[in-house]
Every structure is written in C-alpha cells, then in structure tokens.
Amino acid sequence: MKILVPIKRVVDYNVKVRVKADGSDVDLANVKMSMNPFDEIAVEEAVRLKEAGVASEVVVVSAGVANCQETLRTAMAIGADRGILIQAEGELQPLAVAKLLKAVCEKEQPQLVICGKQAIDDDANQTGQMLAGLLSWPQATFASKVTIAGGQATVTREIDGGLETVDVPLPAVVTADLRLNEPRYATLPNIMKAKKKPLETTTAAALGVDIAPRLKTLKVAEPPKRTAGILVADAAALVMKLKTEAKVI
C-alpha cells in the first residue's frame, strides 16, 4: 500500500509573526521556516504504518518555492521514502493546493492520503476536505487514531461531543489531529540518508493545474492588544462596570 503525505512549509511555531508595514501580508524576511506541525504528525503516522508492515511506501509532496526541498528532506529523514516538489511562486490557496494534490494522486495512485488537519499559517482547514471532494474519495477528518485492515481505515475522530469512530473504504483521505501521535526527532544518520533519497521536481503547468488565486486579501493586521485586567470590590461593582464601561449587559 502506498501512502501520500502532503506537507507545507510554514513559519516556525516558535516565531512571533510580524505584519508588513503596508498591511499587505505577513513579513517572511529572515524568518525561520519549518514543517507544519500537523503535517509532521501525518508523516509520523504514515511511517508508523510502514514500520508495522501495513504500507510499502511513503511519498511526501509539497508545493511552493524551491526552499520547500528542505522540508521534504526533513520528512524523508523521519522515514518517508521519496519526495515530490511542485514548484510554484506566490500565494497558493487551499483549492489550488487540492487541485495540485489531485493531479499527483492520479499519477501516483496512493491507497491512502494522510495530511495535517490544517496549516498553522492560514488555519484554513480546507485542503484535505477539498482533495477528497475532487477525488470523490471518502474522508475522515481530525483523526486521533488510525487502523488499516481489510481494505478499509478505521478512524477515531475528535469531535465537539467527544470521540467518533468511522470506517472508510480505501482509497481515502485522512486528516491528522494533534493527538494522533508524537513525531520522532530525525537522527543525524537519517538526515544524511535523506539527502540521497529521490526527490522529483515538477510544476503546476506540467500537472495541468491553474493555481491562480480565487480570493483576494484586502488587509492583514495584528490583533488588538489586550488591556490589563482590574480587581473589583464585589459583584455589584462588577455588574456596574459591565454595564457602564464594557457595555456588554
């Protein structure tokens, strides 16, 4: 069984994001970039399925600038067998990424696609669902446990009311939630081995996909700074402030 894992290069989660002075976008100059944490969980799950003998090959794919090769090499150091880079400049919106992944799936014919439930930069939470829709494949989102047996995936999903377990026939799309696993650290020997693993490069044009943005960003702004809290003497004073100052009651 072949597993395809889409991964995204994003601003590292430890970095405090800055907005450009003109409010057009986030400032990425001299900013540390890394693999999207949810995608890292997806890679780990795919590698675990391979180690368990369920999968025979793990392929990672990323779309973006040439520096995405570093992210793909990181995934291969974790245990993926090979990588595919779809070179593209500019903004890639979820629908465009889903179309690119659809083209890759039609070429690679994986039996399972595992991707992060969302990216920590745009927080769209759309690509996995759109990909499943474009492929007409069943989907199981927000997975906290995945079991593959008998040509189907049994997925425990995290929902508002608790947990839900669903069975989906393969091929299928699964999106990984935070509690699916804890990704391993890439060891130095595996990092060196990853440099020799095959990495294919293609383009959106070669895949026949139009990646022109459908949405326009009007303005990017930092959230307003929160004011310091205050102590009130009693409940009556709290109600008075909520009425006269906060004006919420």
Side-chain angles (χ1 to χ4, degrees), residues 14-33:
N14 287 314
V15 173
K16 179 174 172 41
V17 176
R18 302 187 306 272
V19 176
K20 290 182 178 179
D22 61 0
S24 62
D25 204 346
V26 171
D27 188 1
L28 299 180
N30 301 316
V31 172
K32 181 183 178 183
M33 309 291 282

PDB file of all heavy atoms in Angstrom, residues 14-33:
ATOM      1  N   ASN A  14       7.460  28.677  16.869  1.00  0.00           N
ATOM      2  CA  ASN A  14       8.082  29.446  17.947  1.00  0.00           C
ATOM      3  C   ASN A  14       8.310  30.907  17.586  1.00  0.00           C
ATOM      4  O   ASN A  14       8.692  31.713  18.441  1.00  0.00           O
ATOM      5  CB  ASN A  14       9.426  28.824  18.336  1.00  0.00           C
ATOM      6  CG  ASN A  14       9.258  27.520  19.101  1.00  0.00           C
ATOM      7  OD1 ASN A  14       8.450  27.450  20.018  1.00  0.00           O
ATOM      8  ND2 ASN A  14       9.990  26.495  18.708  1.00  0.00           N
ATOM      9  N   VAL A  15       8.104  31.262  16.321  1.00  0.00           N
ATOM     10  CA  VAL A  15       8.389  32.609  15.844  1.00  0.00           C
ATOM     11  C   VAL A  15       7.179  33.516  16.063  1.00  0.00           C
ATOM     12  O   VAL A  15       6.042  33.126  15.784  1.00  0.00           O
ATOM     13  CB  VAL A  15       8.769  32.586  14.347  1.00  0.00           C
ATOM     14  CG1 VAL A  15       8.904  34.004  13.802  1.00  0.00           C
ATOM     15  CG2 VAL A  15      10.063  31.813  14.141  1.00  0.00           C
ATOM     16  N   LYS A  16       7.429  34.719  16.547  1.00  0.00           N
ATOM     17  CA  LYS A  16       6.354  35.722  16.668  1.00  0.00           C
ATOM     18  C   LYS A  16       6.162  36.367  15.297  1.00  0.00           C
ATOM     19  O   LYS A  16       7.074  37.000  14.754  1.00  0.00           O
ATOM     20  CB  LYS A  16       6.701  36.774  17.716  1.00  0.00           C
ATOM     21  CG  LYS A  16       5.636  37.845  17.864  1.00  0.00           C
ATOM     22  CD  LYS A  16       5.938  38.776  19.009  1.00  0.00           C
ATOM     23  CE  LYS A  16       5.013  39.971  19.070  1.00  0.00           C
ATOM     24  NZ  LYS A  16       3.606  39.699  18.800  1.00  0.00           N
ATOM     25  N   VAL A  17       4.996  36.194  14.726  1.00  0.00           N
ATOM     26  CA  VAL A  17       4.717  36.666  13.374  1.00  0.00           C
ATOM     27  C   VAL A  17       4.607  38.184  13.342  1.00  0.00           C
ATOM     28  O   VAL A  17       3.994  38.792  14.227  1.00  0.00           O
ATOM     29  CB  VAL A  17       3.416  36.015  12.849  1.00  0.00           C
ATOM     30  CG1 VAL A  17       3.060  36.563  11.481  1.00  0.00           C
ATOM     31  CG2 VAL A  17       3.574  34.505  12.784  1.00  0.00           C
ATOM     32  N   ARG A  18       5.213  38.789  12.310  1.00  0.00           N
ATOM     33  CA  ARG A  18       5.137  40.241  12.123  1.00  0.00           C
ATOM     34  C   ARG A  18       4.378  40.543  10.834  1.00  0.00           C
ATOM     35  O   ARG A  18       4.476  39.803   9.849  1.00  0.00           O
ATOM     36  CB  ARG A  18       6.538  40.865  12.024  1.00  0.00           C
ATOM     37  CG  ARG A  18       7.423  40.616  13.222  1.00  0.00           C
ATOM     38  CD  ARG A  18       8.726  41.417  13.101  1.00  0.00           C
ATOM     39  NE  ARG A  18       9.403  41.165  11.849  1.00  0.00           N
ATOM     40  CZ  ARG A  18      10.287  40.185  11.654  1.00  0.00           C
ATOM     41  NH1 ARG A  18      10.576  39.369  12.652  1.00  0.00           N
ATOM     42  NH2 ARG A  18      10.875  40.018  10.480  1.00  0.00           N
ATOM     43  N   VAL A  19       3.631  41.619  10.862  1.00  0.00           N
ATOM     44  CA  VAL A  19       2.873  42.061   9.691  1.00  0.00           C
ATOM     45  C   VAL A  19       3.674  43.138   8.975  1.00  0.00           C
ATOM     46  O   VAL A  19       4.298  43.992   9.599  1.00  0.00           O
ATOM     47  CB  VAL A  19       1.484  42.602  10.101  1.00  0.00           C
ATOM     48  CG1 VAL A  19       0.735  43.151   8.900  1.00  0.00           C
ATOM     49  CG2 VAL A  19       0.676  41.506  10.781  1.00  0.00           C
ATOM     50  N   LYS A  20       3.657  43.106   7.641  1.00  0.00           N
ATOM     51  CA  LYS A  20       4.349  44.134   6.860  1.00  0.00           C
ATOM     52  C   LYS A  20       3.769  45.509   7.156  1.00  0.00           C
ATOM     53  O   LYS A  20       2.594  45.640   7.504  1.00  0.00           O
ATOM     54  CB  LYS A  20       4.228  43.821   5.366  1.00  0.00           C
ATOM     55  CG  LYS A  20       5.027  42.613   4.920  1.00  0.00           C
ATOM     56  CD  LYS A  20       4.899  42.404   3.415  1.00  0.00           C
ATOM     57  CE  LYS A  20       5.728  41.216   2.941  1.00  0.00           C
ATOM     58  NZ  LYS A  20       5.579  40.992   1.480  1.00  0.00           N
ATOM     59  N   ALA A  21       4.606  46.520   6.981  1.00  0.00           N
ATOM     60  CA  ALA A  21       4.194  47.895   7.301  1.00  0.00           C
ATOM     61  C   ALA A  21       2.990  48.342   6.494  1.00  0.00           C
ATOM     62  O   ALA A  21       2.139  49.091   6.980  1.00  0.00           O
ATOM     63  CB  ALA A  21       5.363  48.856   7.079  1.00  0.00           C
ATOM     64  N   ASP A  22       2.883  47.865   5.247  1.00  0.00           N
ATOM     65  CA  ASP A  22       1.749  48.273   4.406  1.00  0.00           C
ATOM     66  C   ASP A  22       0.503  47.423   4.625  1.00  0.00           C
ATOM     67  O   ASP A  22      -0.525  47.640   3.988  1.00  0.00           O
ATOM     68  CB  ASP A  22       2.146  48.246   2.925  1.00  0.00           C
ATOM     69  CG  ASP A  22       2.568  46.843   2.459  1.00  0.00           C
ATOM     70  OD1 ASP A  22       2.540  45.901   3.288  1.00  0.00           O
ATOM     71  OD2 ASP A  22       2.927  46.699   1.283  1.00  0.00           O
ATOM     72  N   GLY A  23       0.590  46.430   5.534  1.00  0.00           N
ATOM     73  CA  GLY A  23      -0.569  45.594   5.836  1.00  0.00           C
ATOM     74  C   GLY A  23      -0.980  44.659   4.727  1.00  0.00           C
ATOM     75  O   GLY A  23      -2.103  44.142   4.729  1.00  0.00           O
ATOM     76  N   SER A  24      -0.069  44.391   3.798  1.00  0.00           N
ATOM     77  CA  SER A  24      -0.418  43.534   2.655  1.00  0.00           C
ATOM     78  C   SER A  24      -0.276  42.054   2.957  1.00  0.00           C
ATOM     79  O   SER A  24      -0.966  41.225   2.362  1.00  0.00           O
ATOM     80  CB  SER A  24       0.454  43.892   1.449  1.00  0.00           C
ATOM     81  OG  SER A  24       1.825  43.670   1.745  1.00  0.00           O
ATOM     82  N   ASP A  25       0.630  41.708   3.900  1.00  0.00           N
ATOM     83  CA  ASP A  25       0.883  40.291   4.158  1.00  0.00           C
ATOM     84  C   ASP A  25       1.732  40.169   5.420  1.00  0.00           C
ATOM     85  O   ASP A  25       2.103  41.162   6.046  1.00  0.00           O
ATOM     86  CB  ASP A  25       1.602  39.653   2.963  1.00  0.00           C
ATOM     87  CG  ASP A  25       1.382  38.146   2.880  1.00  0.00           C
ATOM     88  OD1 ASP A  25       0.909  37.568   3.881  1.00  0.00           O
ATOM     89  OD2 ASP A  25       1.661  37.556   1.825  1.00  0.00           O
ATOM     90  N   VAL A  26       2.065  38.920   5.739  1.00  0.00           N
ATOM     91  CA  VAL A  26       2.972  38.649   6.854  1.00  0.00           C
ATOM     92  C   VAL A  26       4.408  38.792   6.354  1.00  0.00           C
ATOM     93  O   VAL A  26       4.731  38.378   5.238  1.00  0.00           O
ATOM     94  CB  VAL A  26       2.720  37.227   7.409  1.00  0.00           C
ATOM     95  CG1 VAL A  26       3.789  36.836   8.417  1.00  0.00           C
ATOM     96  CG2 VAL A  26       1.345  37.148   8.045  1.00  0.00           C
ATOM     97  N   ASP A  27       5.267  39.363   7.172  1.00  0.00           N
ATOM     98  CA  ASP A  27       6.672  39.559   6.806  1.00  0.00           C
ATOM     99  C   ASP A  27       7.431  38.248   6.992  1.00  0.00           C
ATOM    100  O   ASP A  27       7.554  37.751   8.114  1.00  0.00           O
ATOM    101  CB  ASP A  27       7.277  40.658   7.683  1.00  0.00           C
ATOM    102  CG  ASP A  27       8.675  41.052   7.237  1.00  0.00           C
ATOM    103  OD1 ASP A  27       9.159  40.480   6.236  1.00  0.00           O
ATOM    104  OD2 ASP A  27       9.284  41.920   7.885  1.00  0.00           O
ATOM    105  N   LEU A  28       7.954  37.701   5.898  1.00  0.00           N
ATOM    106  CA  LEU A  28       8.682  36.432   5.946  1.00  0.00           C
ATOM    107  C   LEU A  28      10.184  36.619   5.810  1.00  0.00           C
ATOM    108  O   LEU A  28      10.929  35.633   5.763  1.00  0.00           O
ATOM    109  CB  LEU A  28       8.180  35.505   4.833  1.00  0.00           C
ATOM    110  CG  LEU A  28       6.701  35.113   4.882  1.00  0.00           C
ATOM    111  CD1 LEU A  28       6.360  34.195   3.727  1.00  0.00           C
ATOM    112  CD2 LEU A  28       6.357  34.443   6.209  1.00  0.00           C
ATOM    113  N   ALA A  29      10.652  37.851   5.749  1.00  0.00           N
ATOM    114  CA  ALA A  29      12.079  38.104   5.579  1.00  0.00           C
ATOM    115  C   ALA A  29      12.864  37.649   6.808  1.00  0.00           C
ATOM    116  O   ALA A  29      12.557  38.036   7.941  1.00  0.00           O
ATOM    117  CB  ALA A  29      12.315  39.594   5.325  1.00  0.00           C
ATOM    118  N   ASN A  30      13.871  36.813   6.579  1.00  0.00           N
ATOM    119  CA  ASN A  30      14.760  36.318   7.647  1.00  0.00           C
ATOM    120  C   ASN A  30      14.000  35.632   8.785  1.00  0.00           C
ATOM    121  O   ASN A  30      14.383  35.732   9.953  1.00  0.00           O
ATOM    122  CB  ASN A  30      15.601  37.473   8.217  1.00  0.00           C
ATOM    123  CG  ASN A  30      16.450  38.147   7.162  1.00  0.00           C
ATOM    124  OD1 ASN A  30      17.080  37.477   6.346  1.00  0.00           O
ATOM    125  ND2 ASN A  30      16.441  39.475   7.163  1.00  0.00           N
ATOM    126  N   VAL A  31      12.922  34.949   8.431  1.00  0.00           N
ATOM    127  CA  VAL A  31      12.104  34.248   9.422  1.00  0.00           C
ATOM    128  C   VAL A  31      12.368  32.746   9.318  1.00  0.00           C
ATOM    129  O   VAL A  31      12.444  32.198   8.216  1.00  0.00           O
ATOM    130  CB  VAL A  31      10.604  34.542   9.199  1.00  0.00           C
ATOM    131  CG1 VAL A  31       9.748  33.668  10.101  1.00  0.00           C
ATOM    132  CG2 VAL A  31      10.315  36.005   9.471  1.00  0.00           C
ATOM    133  N   LYS A  32      12.510  32.091  10.448  1.00  0.00           N
ATOM    134  CA  LYS A  32      12.729  30.649  10.452  1.00  0.00           C
ATOM    135  C   LYS A  32      11.474  29.930   9.965  1.00  0.00           C
ATOM    136  O   LYS A  32      10.368  30.199  10.438  1.00  0.00           O
ATOM    137  CB  LYS A  32      13.090  30.168  11.860  1.00  0.00           C
ATOM    138  CG  LYS A  32      13.358  28.671  11.930  1.00  0.00           C
ATOM    139  CD  LYS A  32      13.629  28.215  13.356  1.00  0.00           C
ATOM    140  CE  LYS A  32      13.837  26.699  13.415  1.00  0.00           C
ATOM    141  NZ  LYS A  32      14.036  26.220  14.808  1.00  0.00           N
ATOM    142  N   MET A  33      11.664  29.011   9.042  1.00  0.00           N
ATOM    143  CA  MET A  33      10.554  28.232   8.494  1.00  0.00           C
ATOM    144  C   MET A  33      10.734  26.754   8.880  1.00  0.00           C
ATOM    145  O   MET A  33      11.860  26.292   9.083  1.00  0.00           O
ATOM    146  CB  MET A  33      10.498  28.361   6.979  1.00  0.00           C
ATOM    147  CG  MET A  33      10.511  29.796   6.463  1.00  0.00           C
ATOM    148  SD  MET A  33       9.008  30.707   6.822  1.00  0.00           S
ATOM    149  CE  MET A  33       7.907  30.046   5.574  1.00  0.00           C
TER     150      MET A  33
END
